[in-house]
């Protein structure tokens, strides 16, 4: 990539999908792992091992929450180590991929 | 009872909703609108019921409580036996479906109230207590039936104790039940002049709001009804037969045991014949994840609910009338 | 007609909404609230209209139906010719804009009803039929004009047959049209005592709910109006001239052909002068994807709608009054 | 004043909401429902107030305006001093919290109106002007206090001028303030027959809608109350003491300076004692990002609001009654 | 990455954005391709070749649906092969990238 | 990957999270950078340097917008160069990663 490397930091992108009801527990775990940034999208639907979750269903309204967090590699490791033992309980999915964080102008850093 | 008495606006709006679904119209009510009207209607019923109860003899309410508990516990067991013996339905699905029939549908109850109001028939204050009470016991029985089914199947009990406790607590802290009981209590205690101030909102415009609710329910029922192929002929028949069985019990209890007026018998019958689609489905989804939700949802919302609203209520009323006139017990 | 008769709450709330938009207030109504009120108002108009029709001579309704069809088909063609000949607007945009002017705006119609109610003027039962009928034909004509435009342009017809069929079906199963017709039918058939039960919800509080609706519409119109630069001077003028042309047709038809009272003429005029922003825009977006939506939306919502609500309705009423008194045909 | 006069439905619904939160019920009202009811209630109060003002002497309104400004500016300064001197609260949190107490809570005001209505007490038309005016000045004073606090702290002023301007503009174009003023103006100008048409929606069903609003607020307050541990004992005490201080000022001003009736004094007292949770929190979040929102939100929504609704209003009324009877100034 | 490889499985992440109206057709296709897990976020807006879609517009309310699905490489290939011929009809976008799925504790597998 | 390379185009995936109030400014910038496709998800929550944003909070309702855009590498560079100087003002995050765009059947291209 021709992009100036001084404005890009290599990071890990962690993407988690879980039942909205478990979101608070998950966020607590993340805070325990010193996560200082995340983004949450609620009211997602989906299909998984426990069947379909449809936020628009009139009777059986079930929601997933999608969480995205970007962090440095060692932080990502810490997060994964914290989450991994609980993943079975939470269900859903947890993906890691590589990404680059674009940092703002140095002046105001 | 003439044909025109069937032309209750609420029921016509239900039909309109089903029609919209049938012709695949893009008509769609905002989901939050539905939730809001449900909240409003539950509070309205509760307040009205509480006010009516405040003026009536509370000793006489006890038989209604017993009847509610009996329905809540008895009907699911009857349903389970039928589903297992006649339908060869697998135990866990049978348990999940059964639980729904011990419970009630506030929508059906309100439609019955609108129907009675439309033809000017009065009724006792007690059925509303039964409505408030009947949601929970059926969930308990559902849990018991699920446990029993799992024992039959011999598998490891997938549901742990924590979940059972959680479900039982939920059955009593459930939002709609709380709203119903809470507003009943408020209707009970407030003074008449205070009640007058909130009456226009909760009573005067109630029947109109009910029309919008039922139009929405019509669409919802239509959507579910279109899935009836997945549930098969036996279950569809069950979805019509079971309310009739409940109705017979309701008529008997309402007339001979509770000794209510025609209006009261009709409401008791409707409660016994109706089938929950609010509190029970999420509880069963949690308690019996192995059961197929489209079975109990299609039955409850797509078959039994429209059957009760369109055919059942006038029929139960006619039966109550006949019973009341023929076997007058006093 | 004094100034104070212009101080109809509904119109003032419309102005408040536009003002809020003008001063860039953060006032915002939940989108679902808007949808809910629209559903409520459509059912309310429908029921009221149906009830009124039930009491009137249905033979006399036929001319209204013909007039509605004539407006729906004729006005878009007039609009198309003007846009093409005077404005040199490209054919597809012209077709898309034209279709809107053959249709109606229920919001404008209701404001007119509120206006007439405010000054105590009665009107015939038939205009509501025209309201219900006029939404669809304009869509058809829009499709025809689009096809014609494409032929002019000589390009491959981008829109396939399947889409046309889909659009025509949609024009008749459209949610708001269904709601209007459905509730008209229900208002028609229900008995008076039944209607009384739902009247408080659908009639008593109607005018108040309309205020909230119009406040929201004012904000929406204000938002669109602020984009008027993108549409250019010619189109803004067209957005004011076209309702006036429609109004002249409406006055003529309402007075000489239909022979209505002042109130009825006013409503027919409003129907002819108004311009859809509910069913037509999505249909045109699908049928003529090449057309720029901000053209027809700004015109319909940002120019013609506020013009009709604030200036048009009292003007049409005054004209109807003048016409009725001057050229009394009988 | 008997116990039964405390059984105002609105307050009971508030208690029901808190109870639902306490027993961790899954009861939840759609967020849009809340916004809709707030919009409806604000318009309702505004219209009613405007109509009442139209019939009263406007010269006499001026003292109310001055009183409102005095409360809006004075009370936050009192609060700031107390928080700094007694509580050793850090300057920026103190500034943010203080601003809330100069402003008002429309919810508390409406509950007071419901309370007075329930016991049949009338009141002047002017307090509603105070309600509309008081939201903004407190925000200004909050900005001033924040600037002062930053000077104390000696740090660079984080908040730039642009933001201050933005906040001041926002304080006057704020949606709820606009809605209140706008509908007051509309209530003022419309003719009586016009007003009659919208009265059923905005007045007749007002008290019922208020019940649903307060039930929701009860849940919201309950949620906030459960966080009271994070704010500490001192702040909780402050959340109860500060409305009492405001109330004393309100009683004094309402009785001796404005010379209102018992109902009017009660409303002025409620305004002085109440504390904003609509316009001020977002403004403070923007103006003083260093302050901890859970402090001022817990205090305003979780402590002061329920205190005023459940305990305060009857107490203020009793005090107004006592004052009016004892120190009758004329 | 220092993360223990035994808790990570290399997978493909497929991200699809289409008109919400086509969502059901798309999900049917996915089921035909034996997809057993996906996440759907509705009411998204966007800009594409067919213009803007704004879920908040009062009149022309149009919604996109965002779908994310994680699957093994050969499964991903199957999915793409199933979807690709229809992509022109659906419009929107379909992206594939690499990711790693974090698997839960082995004990309860 | 065994997938036929003729249906895949290597691209960059840019993912931006900002305060919903700044969304319009951001979109204007993107249009200035000739972006012709993006997807926006509104009403997201999150945690960042400016604290928590909770779209469900009754009083302090704050929303993030999540934007995803896929573009060719040089276009991505242009986008990043346009955005980067403003990133401090917008706050939030901006991530870049690699992805592959699945192109539809050649016939109708
Ligand atoms: N392979 C997958 N790809 C994308 N989302 C998934 C996948 N598996 C599970 N999910 C999401 O995680 C939720 C819960 O999964 P589960 O606990 O397996 O039922 C589902 O509803 C999906 O939204
Ligand atoms: N390059 C892109 N990056 C992100 N989203 C896109 C892109 N192109 C299209 N989309 C999304 O796909 C939707 C439909 O695209 P289209 O069919 O091209 O109009 C758009 O509304 C966007 O939400
Ligand atoms: N490391 C991160 N990972 C994911 N999302 C983030 C991260 N940092 C910030 N955000 C998102 O960006 C929003 C604004 O961030 P900020 O401007 O730092 O407060 C937050 O509310 C999050 O939704
Ligand atoms: Na039953
Ligand atoms: Na027209
Ligand atoms: Na105050």
């Amino acid at each position: 990539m021709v992009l100036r490397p001084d404005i890009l930091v290599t990071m890990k992108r962690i993407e988690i999908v879980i039942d909205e009801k478990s979101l608070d527990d998950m966020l607590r775990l993340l805070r325990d792992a010193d996560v200082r940034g995340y983004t949450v999208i609620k009211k997602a639907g989906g299909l998984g091992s426990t069947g379909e979750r449809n936020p628009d269903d009139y009777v059986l309204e079930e929601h997933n929450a999608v969480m995205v967090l970007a962090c440095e590699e060692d932080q990502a490791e810490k997060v994964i180590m914290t989450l991994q033992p609980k993943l079975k309980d939470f269900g859903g999915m947890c993906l890691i991929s590589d990404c680059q964080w674009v940092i703002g102008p140095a002046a105001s850093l | 009872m003439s044909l025109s008495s069937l032309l209750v606006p609420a029921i016509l709006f239900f039909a309109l909703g089903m029609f919209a679904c049938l012709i695949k119209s893009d008509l769609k009510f905002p989901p939050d609108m539905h939730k809001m009207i449900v909240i409003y209607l539950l509070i309205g019923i509760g307040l009205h019921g509480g006010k009516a109860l405040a003026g009536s003899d509370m000793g006489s309410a006890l038989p209604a409580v017993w009847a509610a508990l009996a329905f809540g516990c008895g009907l699911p067991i009857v349903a389970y036996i039928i589903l297992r013996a006649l339908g060869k339905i697998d135990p866990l699905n049978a348990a999940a479906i059964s639980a729904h029939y011990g419970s009630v549908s506030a929508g059906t109850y309100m439609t019955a109230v609108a129907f009675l109001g439309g033809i000017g028939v009065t009724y006792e204050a007690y059925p509303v207590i039964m409505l408030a009470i009947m949601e929970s016991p059926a969930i308990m029985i559902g849990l018991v039936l699920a446990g029993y089914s799992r024992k039959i199947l011999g598998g490891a009990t997938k549901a742990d104790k924590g979940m059972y406790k959680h479900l039982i607590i939920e059955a009593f802290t459930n939002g709609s039940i709380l709203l119903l009981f809470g507003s009943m209590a408020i209707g009970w205690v407030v003074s008449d002049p205070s009640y007058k101030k909130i009456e226009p909102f909760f009573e005067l415009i109630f029947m109109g709001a009910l029309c919008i609710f039922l139009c929405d329910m019509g669409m919802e029922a239509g959507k579910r009804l279109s899935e009836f192929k997945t549930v098969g002929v036996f279950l569809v028949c069950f979805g019509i037969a079971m309310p009739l069985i409940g109705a017979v019990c309701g008529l008997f209890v309402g007339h001979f045991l509770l000794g209510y007026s025609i209006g009261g018998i009709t409401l008791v019958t409707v409660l016994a014949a109706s089938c929950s689609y609010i509190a029970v489905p999420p509880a069963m989804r949690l308690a019996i994840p192995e059961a197929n939700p489209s079975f109990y949802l299609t039955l409850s919302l797509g078959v039994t609910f429209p059957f009760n609203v369109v055919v059942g209520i006038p029929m139960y009323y006619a039966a109550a009338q006949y019973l009341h006139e023929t076997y007058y017990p006093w």
Side-chain angles (χ1 to χ4, degrees), chain A, chain B:
Chain A
M1 182 147 192
V2 218
L3 276 167
R4 281 159 39 209
D6 58 325
I7 61 164
L8 296 180
V9 188
T10 300
M11 280 190 153
K12 289 286 172 187
R13 178 183 186 273
I14 304 180
E15 184 175 15
I16 300 167
V17 180
I18 47 161
D19 193 346
E20 222 181 88
K21 284 174 202 149
S22 313
L23 181 62
D24 284 342
D25 293 343
M26 173 65 85
L27 292 181
R28 216 166 297 131
L29 274 184
L30 291 182
R31 273 190 216 120
D32 291 352
D34 291 322
V35 164
R36 271 180 280 146
Y38 56 76
T39 298
V40 180
I41 301 169
K42 291 189 178 180
K43 286 189 197 150
L47 178 77
S49 55
T50 59
E52 213 183 319
R53 291 201 187 131
N54 182 359
D56 297 332
D57 192 84
Y58 160 56
V59 189
L60 284 181
E61 187 183 322
E62 288 174 308
H63 302 226
N64 279 320
V66 177
M67 230 173 308
V68 175
L69 58 111
C71 53
E72 319 248 316
E73 196 149 328
D74 45 353
Q75 171 69 15
E77 201 175 339
K78 196 172 160 190
V79 170
I80 297 304
M81 283 310 147
T82 315
L83 292 187
Q84 198 264 348
K86 308 270 184 159
L87 278 185
K88 286 276 147 186
D89 298 341
F90 282 130
M93 79 168 184
C94 174
L95 303 179
I96 312 181
S97 57
D98 295 312
C99 69
Q100 295 193 284
W101 177 289
V102 184
I103 53 175
S108 63
L109 254 176
Chain B
M1 191 180 48
S2 70
L3 184 78
S4 90
S5 71
L6 296 178
L7 297 178
V8 177
I11 299 174
L12 293 172
F13 273 101
F14 183 81
L16 178 62
M18 286 197 95
F19 177 74
C21 188
L22 199 80
I23 64 166
K24 295 193 173 55
S25 164
D26 64 349
L27 184 63
K28 202 179 160 307
F29 288 4
D32 277 359
M33 176 171 187
H34 188 86
K35 287 180 201 158
M36 288 173 53
I37 302 192
V38 168
I39 289 168
Y40 164 79
L41 294 175
L42 285 176
I43 295 182
I45 296 187
L47 282 174
H48 180 89
K51 198 85 207 125
L53 285 171
S56 53
D57 172 21
M58 273 318 282
S60 322
L62 219 62
V65 173
W66 289 121
L69 293 175
F71 285 145
C73 300
L75 289 171
I77 295 173
V78 173
Y80 186 78
I81 292 171
I82 295 176
L83 287 167
R84 293 287 294 135
L86 293 183
K88 313 287 174 221
I89 304 295
D90 68 292
L92 288 171
N93 272 312
I97 296 173
S98 304
H100 290 71
Y101 284 89
S103 183
V104 288
S105 139
T108 316
Y109 179 83
M110 291 185 277
T111 313
V113 166
F115 176 83
L116 293 178
I119 53 177
V121 171
T122 59
Y123 46 89
E124 279 79 10
Y126 309 113
V128 74
I129 305 190
M130 299 176 66
L131 171 70
I133 288 175
M134 274 176 79
E135 197 93 37
S136 308
I139 296 176
M140 309 293 122
I141 301 298
L143 297 181
V144 171
L145 288 174
Y148 171 76
S149 302
R150 287 215 177 77
K151 236 180 239 156
I152 299 177
L153 294 170
T157 301
K158 210 180 162 186
D160 55 303
K161 284 236 169 112
M163 200 208 54
Y164 269 69
K165 207 186 126 196
H166 169 78
L167 270 171
I168 291 171
I169 290 178
E170 201 156 80
F172 289 104
T173 61
N174 178 289
S176 26
I177 298 174
L178 185 79
L179 221 45
L180 201 49
F181 272 116
S183 47
M184 250 165 82
I186 293 176
W188 178 294
V189 297
V190 296
S191 65
D192 275 356
S194 281
Y195 190 73
K196 280 272 167 305
K197 292 249 151 77
I198 59 171
E199 207 176 20
F201 184 71
F202 289 113
E203 301 229 359
L204 187 63
I205 63 174
F206 186 91
M207 284 302 157
L210 183 64
C211 290
I212 292 194
F213 168 77
L214 280 171
C215 186
D216 202 6
M217 291 305 298
M219 287 186 267
E220 210 52 60
K223 236 186 286 168
R224 289 286 167 191
L225 185 57
S226 66
E227 284 170 27
F228 85 91
K229 265 176 216 149
T230 61
V231 305
V233 174
F234 173 76
L235 280 183
V236 172
C237 294
F238 174 81
I240 291 174
M242 192 57 214
L244 292 176
I245 295 172
V248 169
C249 303
L251 283 167
F252 181 85
V253 169
H255 183 59
F256 294 108
L257 301 190
L258 299 172
Y260 287 170
S261 66
I262 298 180
I265 300 173
T266 309
L267 289 183
V268 172
T269 306
V270 162
L271 288 173
S274 77
C275 155
S276 168
Y277 49 80
I278 293 190
V280 180
M284 288 305 115
R285 172 95 161 108
L286 216 65
I288 318 183
E290 305 93 330
N292 184 348
S294 80
F295 283 3
Y296 48 80
L297 290 179
T298 306
L299 277 190
S300 149
L301 254 180
V303 180
T304 301
F305 179 59
F307 171 75
N308 274 329
V309 164
V310 177
V311 181
I313 294 173
M315 212 164 82
Y316 306 152
Y317 171 71
Q321 212 173 15
Y322 174 79
L323 207 64
H324 199 267
E325 278 154 16
T326 321
Y327 300 96
Y328 203 79
W330 302 277

